[in-house]
Amino acid sequence: MAMLWMHDLKEKMPPHHGMDIKEAFQRAQKGHNNKAQLVASLGRYDELEDKTLFHEEFVHCLKYAMIVYKREPVVENIMEFVARFATSFLSPPKMEEGEEEEEEEDDAEDDHPFLSFLFNFLLESHKASSHAVRFRVCQLINKLLGSMAENAQIDDELFDRIHQAMLVRVTDKFPNVRIQAALAMTRLQQPKDPDCPTINAYMLILENDANAEVRRAVLSCIAMSPRTLPKVLKRTRDIKESVRKLAYQVLAEKVHIKALTIAQRVRLLQQGLHDTSEAVREVVCSRLLPAWLLRLDGNVTELLHRLDVENCAQTAMDTLQAVFRGATTEELLHNGVPLDNRKLVPVDSLSCENVLYWRALCEFIKAKGDDGEELLDQVLPDAASYADYLYGYLKAVPLLSEEQRADFNQLELVMTKEFISQQLIRLIGCLDTNEEGGRKRVLAVLQEMLALPQTPSSLVSLLTEKLLTLVADDSRRIQTVAEIISDVREPIMEASQPVDQNMSRRQQVQLAQVKVRILEAKQSLEDSIAAQDFSRAAVLKDSIAELENQRNQILQETTESCQPADKETGAEKSDPETLLRCIIMCAELLKQMSIKTRIGPTISALMSSLVLPSIANSHPAVRNMAVVCLGTCTLHSRELARTHMVLLLQIAQLDEVKIRISALRSIIDLLLLFGFQLLSEPGAQAAPQTQSPERPEGDAASAEERGGAPEDTAQSILVMLSDFLDSEVVDLRTETAEGLAKLMYTGRVSSAKLLSRLVLLWYNPVTEDDTRLRHCLGVFFQLYARKSRLHQEVVEEGFLPTVRTLMNAPATSPLAEVDINNVVELLVELTRPSALIKASTNTEEVCVHDYLAVRMCGEMLKDPTAPEVRLYAKTLSNLELSRGDTVRKDLLTLLQQLVQVVKDRICLRALEKMVHQLVDATEQAELLCASALQPLDVNADEAATDDQSKSAKRAKRGLRKASTAKGGRKASRRAESSEESDGENVPESVPVARLSRRAKTAALEKTKLDLNTLINKEPNVS
């Protein structure tokens, strides 16, 4: 009948020399056929007087392909053929010969009957109930518009109809339909129109579409403009790796570096070079950076200038390392640094960009080890020459007064010089200091620069760090820094007449050494008196007198060396600048010291004479560094930690925000190192407790329940930290949350209440913009719950309090906006037995989910009409219960009681389903036990295999990431929106035996789709 109908059509159509439509469609299914020849074979269309029958037959054949949703090759070939045939009637683009001729050609193109007919047919079909038809409609429209010439035009009415239809389809339920609709609107964009509906739809999709492939499709076709650029930049932080990767590719190809602000460039490089995905990092290194350099004529220094290296030195360093990895040796040597014959950058040529390039190049070459020694000698001089070069530049850095700092130009110039100085100091780490002479010269320069009063405070920490790295022994480090601090606080007045500088320097060093020895002797004298060792005290008293005589003699020699004799020790300086410099040196010393190094007399003297008095200083910067120094020092001594803990607690509550945060960090560090038992130890005269810092097991119990610690002190610390979680100061709240997370993870604190507070803080909309807090807690929850079963029990204990808090939150509270289902899903995932790093091998052991199920059942029995009953009933089915008979029987009893009292239908349905699952599992276990007593047969093996497969499936289900609970949508809805997209939700492959080539070919032929049988069937003409 179908053949007769086709034959009737042929009889009614005029004779022609080309092939018929059905044959063309049949040949078009095969990819090896030339589409151009098939299109030419239907070229008789323009000769037809009545084109209606041609249209009907063409659409009839096309419909068979449009009902296939799967991306079959034969269907894709037909779509390609239809698009090429429909656009073959458009005249090829020609050179401009006149406006009138162009308008006539455009009108001819716009009015072509077949193209208009095909567009009308597709637009009438885009609302079909079949998602396959909607998909093929959007795909064909996309191909038709894409096959047109670059300067092609269509009728305004047709343009609007296509536009409206595709705007509807980009909101389709099926992701593949949305993808094709988005691609079809590519040529309908009007970037210059601020109200372009297509661009508005694209931006909405990028922000809200749950499917990653849809977002990728929009990224690939969206036009760049000032409106769309921020949306594309935001996709570089997308949750999907493929979206982030494509976003960087689009930015590299379509966006000029000058179109981005400095902050945007820095953020792109900072995030891209540290992305968790290797593929994204590779795109940044191989696509984005080369594209930027190409637009800057390969000038790396100009690229650094575009990044503002003074404010983002680390990002610039990472960028240079990425550029160096793809450069040759010649490019490394000749691209950035203008070195003279001394292998130094002339002082007049120094800039922020080239000095940073110099430092990055030297560090990159030094990281190669022995392979880079020869190359490093070409870009860096010997240590002595570089030390003189550094000394000359640092001495030229001016020190501004308060009046001069008001001048922005002078301040900017000094800040630039300080930045260059920092990079030059960091280059010391690349020098070869194995040679004794060069190392001593570098040490001498560093010591002299630290002692000079005009050295900026911003360089003191870095100078001290490099000095200490060149001194290996801690005792020598302490002595060296103490001498420098003494010189800075009590400088020796210069002579009125020129004197021998070397002699003066030696006398100053001798005087500083004697002062240090006097301080040490006085400290030992006090200790001897406290220990009632009076004989040793008498000896120390005599030695102190002898040292004082020696000091007076040195002072006298110094005085006599001047003419007139007016050289004497100046008064001790106590101005904020001097104190800040000294405390910075002391803090850096304590940081570089080994944690096992005990606090000696010299450090004790510095603490009593410098650090502790500075805590009461009126200058905030001095107080802050003093607190940092005190906190670092207490880490070296349990006695000091116990003595000054109360002081740190007071500072954490009363001072300025920055100083409070420094004190809070010190408190957290002390609790991490010594534990809460530090608070239970008696005073300095009593022996310490046996608990050592290396044994956190004794602190695993809750701080409230410790028998040894004073309950009020430990409780007051936890209450203070809990109050800080409610602070309006973002930095203080974040630091507290991070500190509590560390304490809980290490076992110093175990509290379900605090864990519940952290969960609520993580979900609280108030912390939405606090990226550091969200990231820290997100990582902590995963690591904490997976570490041990004890931690999962803490999470389980905090489950009900967390749910009650959210359910009882008033409407005015931000917690009222939190999706409770997501919170519950997170807590359930965290407590899964299969999520443990070291899961228990005993399947009969009672797991955390068993206790959680019993708790929820008991909560539902208290009030069966409560609104949270439905939530608990739904959660029960997601639990991973153990196989213990006792637990299952108890839970079954509770569920049967609930079925009798719960009236809500949805809850009843969930509870009854749970009851049936438990009953079936119990019966199956009984059957397995009974079969174990019977003779062995095949059925027993099959039953055991089925049971293992079920347990494997259950374990696999438990491996779902808890991060799925973070999104604002339910997991089921997310799965529904993405199950149809290409490339997502791909099932895991099952390993099978490898087939031969002949078997593969035969199987492939069987699975190929052939539309010929469908086309030849009798059509339904009713």
Side-chain angles (χ1 to χ4, degrees), residues 122 150 226 246 334 371 435 456 459 486 606 695 903:
L122 295 174
E150 185 177 353
L246 182 60
H334 301 292
D371 298 337
E435 194 268 323
L459 304 179
S486 177
L606 288 174
R695 294 182 57 194
K903 304 301 180 183

Side-chain angles (χ1 to χ4, degrees), residues 262 301 303-314 316-317 320 351-354 356 419 423:
I262 292 177
T301 306
L303 175 62
L304 294 177
H305 183 70
R306 302 283 180 182
L307 297 179
D308 188 17
V309 296
E310 292 185 61
N311 297 317
C312 60
Q314 187 56 48
M317 286 290 294
L320 288 172
S351 65
C352 296
E353 289 78 23
N354 59 29
L356 190 72
F419 178 82
Q423 307 311 313

Side-chain angles (χ1 to χ4, degrees), residues 286-423:
S286 62
R287 300 286 292 275
L288 185 65
L289 283 176
W292 285 1
L293 286 172
L294 183 63
R295 295 182 174 101
L296 297 175
D297 299 328
N299 192 334
V300 182
T301 306
E302 182 65 21
L303 175 62
L304 294 177
H305 183 70
R306 302 283 180 182
L307 297 179
D308 188 17
V309 296
E310 292 185 61
N311 297 317
C312 60
Q314 187 56 48
T315 302
M317 286 290 294
D318 296 336
T319 303
L320 288 172
Q321 297 292 330
V323 172
F324 292 158
R325 283 193 292 269
T328 62
T329 303
E330 295 182 358
E331 292 174 345
L332 292 177
L333 294 177
H334 301 292
N335 274 358
V337 185
L339 299 177
D340 57 15
N341 54 0
R342 299 176 301 164
K343 305 175 188 176
L344 295 169
V345 179
V347 175
D348 297 338
S349 302
L350 279 173
S351 65
C352 296
E353 289 78 23
N354 59 29
V355 73
L356 190 72
Y357 186 97
W358 191 19
R359 174 199 159 196
L361 178 61
C362 293
E363 291 182 357
F364 177 77
I365 297 174
K366 189 175 180 63
K368 294 183 176 181
D370 296 337
D371 298 337
E373 286 186 2
E374 183 178 352
L375 187 59
L376 188 62
D377 291 338
Q378 301 181 33
V379 295
L380 203 60
D382 60 276
S385 301
Y386 186 81
D388 295 335
Y389 173 77
L390 176 64
Y391 179 74
Y393 188 84
L394 292 182
K395 286 200 70 174
V397 178
L399 187 64
L400 298 182
S401 61
E402 292 297 331
E403 294 78 9
Q404 291 174 327
R405 287 183 177 274
D407 186 356
F408 181 77
N409 293 329
Q410 290 192 19
L411 180 62
E412 184 179 11
L413 179 61
V414 171
M415 290 177 65
T416 300
K417 287 184 175 293
E418 289 182 4
F419 178 82
I420 296 174
S421 302
Q422 291 175 359
Q423 307 311 313

Side-chain angles (χ1 to χ4, degrees), residues 773-815:
L773 173 69
R774 290 287 180 101
H775 178 72
C776 171
L777 292 181
V779 174
F780 162 70
F781 291 140
Q782 292 282 344
L783 297 178
Y784 179 77
R786 297 181 61 196
K787 185 178 181 182
S788 69
R789 179 193 164 111
L790 292 176
H791 291 177
Q792 286 192 339
E793 291 177 358
V794 175
V795 178
E796 180 263 332
E797 188 179 349
F799 179 87
L800 290 180
T802 304
V803 175
R804 290 195 198 104
T805 303
L806 293 173
M807 295 296 295
N808 299 329
T812 57
S813 172
L815 294 177

Side-chain angles (χ1 to χ4, degrees), residues 661-834:
I661 292 175
S662 299
L664 178 62
R665 289 174 180 167
S666 301
I667 294 170
I668 297 296
D669 289 342
L670 290 176
L671 294 178
L672 285 171
L673 184 61
F674 300 117
F676 280 86
Q677 287 202 355
L678 177 70
L679 307 172
S680 66
E681 297 176 357
Q685 298 180 358
Q689 298 290 327
T690 57
Q691 176 70 21
S692 65
E694 292 79 11
R695 294 182 57 194
E697 293 84 358
D699 295 324
S702 171
E704 299 91 327
E705 299 173 359
R706 295 178 203 274
E711 184 178 349
D712 53 350
T713 308
Q715 186 71 21
S716 63
I717 293 178
L718 293 178
V719 169
M720 180 193 75
L721 295 177
S722 181
D723 291 340
F724 286 170
L725 292 178
D726 297 326
S727 174
E728 295 181 357
V729 182
V730 176
D731 293 336
L732 183 62
R733 181 180 63 205
T734 302
E735 200 67 42
T736 305
E738 185 176 343
L740 285 173
K742 292 177 181 177
L743 290 172
M744 295 188 69
Y745 182 75
T746 55
R748 294 301 187 184
V749 175
S750 180
S751 172
K753 293 181 180 179
L754 286 177
L755 183 67
S756 176
R757 290 290 307 277
L758 293 178
V759 172
L760 295 174
L761 185 66
W762 193 45
Y763 276 99
N764 198 322
V766 175
T767 63
E768 185 176 1
D769 296 331
D770 194 347
T771 307
R772 180 187 166 197
L773 173 69
R774 290 287 180 101
H775 178 72
C776 171
L777 292 181
V779 174
F780 162 70
F781 291 140
Q782 292 282 344
L783 297 178
Y784 179 77
R786 297 181 61 196
K787 185 178 181 182
S788 69
R789 179 193 164 111
L790 292 176
H791 291 177
Q792 286 192 339
E793 291 177 358
V794 175
V795 178
E796 180 263 332
E797 188 179 349
F799 179 87
L800 290 180
T802 304
V803 175
R804 290 195 198 104
T805 303
L806 293 173
M807 295 296 295
N808 299 329
T812 57
S813 172
L815 294 177
E817 304 175 15
V818 177
D819 187 353
I820 303 179
N821 292 306
N822 281 328
V823 181
V824 170
E825 185 179 350
L826 170 68
L827 297 178
V828 168
E829 293 295 333
L830 292 179
T831 51
R832 285 195 183 278
S834 57

Side-chain angles (χ1 to χ4, degrees), residues 515-532:
K515 287 181 179 181
V516 170
R517 293 172 61 187
I518 291 174
L519 289 174
E520 293 178 351
K522 287 183 178 180
Q523 182 65 34
S524 301
L525 178 63
E526 293 177 1
D527 295 340
S528 300
I529 295 174
Q532 298 183 357

